[in-house]
Amino acid sequence: MVSARILTGLWDVASILEGITNANEIMRVSRQFSNVVSCSPVLRGTVSARAGFENATVDLYGIDPALHAQTTDLLHHD
């Protein structure tokens, strides 16, 4: 994991990243619905790399392991 605190030393993160800025508030409100059992934030991004004439693209997912384990069946995968 890369801490946002580390990134803010290099760039103004808010000026270069688009997306949800209030995930905790969205999850707090979502939990108030009777049919919501749990929720977990997921940060998703795509990374592209090139070495020589080879290109590779990878989808990366960042999760909070404890919250994600409560929200999904992550711990029950074989």
Side-chain angles (χ1 to χ4, degrees), residues 14-27:
S15 68
I16 62 171
L17 298 178
E18 295 180 6
I20 295 172
T21 58
N22 58 344
N24 289 332
E25 179 69 8
I26 291 170
M27 290 189 305

Side-chain angles (χ1 to χ4, degrees), residues 1-14 16-17:
M1 276 192 259
V2 177
S3 169
R5 188 179 313 266
I6 293 170
L7 292 176
T8 53
L10 301 174
W11 302 287
D12 178 7
V13 174
I16 62 171
L17 298 178

Side-chain angles (χ1 to χ4, degrees), residues 44-51 54-60:
R44 181 177 173 256
T46 302
V47 176
S48 298
R50 180 171 34 188
E54 298 284 331
N55 291 321
T57 303
V58 177
D59 288 327
L60 297 177

Side-chain angles (χ1 to χ4, degrees), residues 18-41:
E18 295 180 6
I20 295 172
T21 58
N22 58 344
N24 289 332
E25 179 69 8
I26 291 170
M27 290 189 305
R28 184 189 68 75
V29 171
S30 297
R31 287 185 191 105
Q32 294 176 5
F33 288 90
S34 62
N35 60 340
V36 174
V37 176
S38 182
C39 50
S40 171

